[in-house]
Amino acid sequence: MTRGREKPIPGLPTTAAAVKQALAGRASPARATASRRFFKCGPGEYGEGDRFIGVTVPQQREVARTFAALPLAACRELLASSVHEHRLTAVLILVRQFQRGGEADRGRIFRLLLGARRALDNWDLVDTAAPHIFGAYLFDHPSERPRFERFLSSPRLWDRRIAILTAGGLGRAGVPELLLDLAARSLADPHDLMHKAVGWMLREAGKRDPALLRAFLDRHAAQMPRTMLRYAIERLPAKDRMAYLSAGRSR
């Protein structure tokens, strides 16, 4: 497939309001209630205060395809919404445009999403945006790496997860150095969602290069939180999993 801008559907409004209307037509109050529980939106939980209207991810992908040529200003408006599905649909549209765009388009999308990263305030938003936009952009622009290294020191959970998922995107592209560095620096992170993210990204890197994963585990398994370690070793043979678990820490 050749790269280029998505062609708009004739007569389709290319506005944030039109996207919101399309999502509202697929909304389910019962599903919204379930989503608030699933994404931990109660008091004191990591998604506290987030709003849902109850649209499934496949339905959001359908809307994103329909509005694939949505202008960046409209995407920015969706990212500013308090409704979770508005923000995720914007990210899905931006990922499509980034993957099909030229260098100038990719740069604009990277900068837009970086400036709006506060909109990435739950794991599904981060996990969709970070590897496919931030990680892909860093592959061609390694000078941006220090910015994401700094994110790892942020008190904001989602900035730290952005750093790891961005590094994971580079790892999938065959450039694992940033991932290994940030993973080693995340061993003492207190949050379970970071333990899962680091372990997941290490496991994915291990699919590409098993020796790389084993070298990391040989050096760090004893310091890895239990959840992180379990995620990282999930695809290893049972005998190896048991050996690393025996060496690992208990928490």
Side-chain angles (χ1 to χ4, degrees):
M1 179 183 295
T2 58
R3 284 185 175 178
R5 295 182 183 273
E6 295 279 357
K7 294 182 179 179
I9 297 174
L12 182 72
T14 53
T15 64
V19 176
K20 292 177 181 180
Q21 184 177 9
L23 291 169
R26 295 162 171 80
S28 161
R31 191 180 300 119
T33 298
S35 293
R36 285 191 292 272
R37 289 196 299 267
F38 182 73
F39 286 100
K40 306 297 183 184
C41 298
E45 295 181 311
Y46 59 72
E48 181 176 0
D50 205 355
R51 292 179 55 207
F52 287 83
I53 58 174
V55 184
T56 67
V57 173
Q59 288 173 327
Q60 290 176 74
R61 291 190 184 279
E62 177 189 359
V63 172
R65 287 192 296 271
T66 300
F67 291 90
L70 195 72
L72 293 188
C75 290
R76 185 182 294 109
E77 184 178 342
L78 290 173
L79 287 170
S81 172
S82 63
V83 174
H84 189 102
E85 291 93 339
H86 294 170
R87 302 195 303 280
L88 181 55
T89 301
V91 170
L92 292 169
I93 292 170
L94 289 171
V95 168
R96 290 175 63 86
Q97 293 185 2
F98 184 91
Q99 292 173 341
R100 291 159 173 77
E103 175 63 21
D105 293 324
R106 289 159 69 91
R108 282 190 287 268
I109 292 167
F110 172 81
R111 290 187 291 273
L112 184 158
L113 195 57
L114 189 64
R117 77 177 192 279
R118 291 282 170 175
L120 308 178
D121 57 0
N122 214 311
W123 57 263
D124 60 329
L125 292 152
V126 171
D127 297 2
T128 302
H132 299 298
I133 294 180
F134 295 151
Y137 193 79
L138 257 64
F139 183 82
D140 294 319
H141 300 84
S143 62
E144 290 286 348
R145 169 176 167 161
R147 185 195 306 271
F148 291 87
E149 292 177 321
R150 290 193 294 271
F151 286 171
L152 194 70
S153 302
S154 171
R156 182 175 181 258
L157 165 64
W158 305 118
D159 281 346
R160 303 198 305 275
R161 188 159 172 128
I162 285 170
I164 287 296
L165 268 292
T166 297
L170 276 176
R172 289 175 179 174
V175 186
E177 293 79 12
L178 181 60
L179 173 61
L180 298 176
D181 179 23
L182 298 193
R185 290 162 55 187
S186 298
L187 299 178
D189 194 288
H191 206 288
D192 183 63
L193 283 178
M194 282 296 291
H195 302 169
K196 293 176 179 177
V198 173
W200 170 31
M201 290 296 98
L202 288 171
R203 182 185 71 216
E204 293 301 307
K207 290 180 184 178
R208 181 182 181 89
D209 187 345
L212 178 147
L213 172 60
R214 290 176 184 275
F216 185 92
L217 294 170
D218 290 343
R219 184 174 182 181
H220 297 293
Q223 292 79 44
M224 293 171 73
R226 201 68 165 180
T227 297
M228 184 188 297
L229 181 58
R230 285 188 177 277
Y231 270 61
I233 65 176
E234 190 175 54
R235 296 300 182 93
L236 296 181
K239 179 180 178 181
D240 295 335
R241 293 199 305 270
M242 292 302 298
Y244 283 121
L245 285 170
S246 296
R249 59 197 280 187
S250 60
R251 81 170 177 88

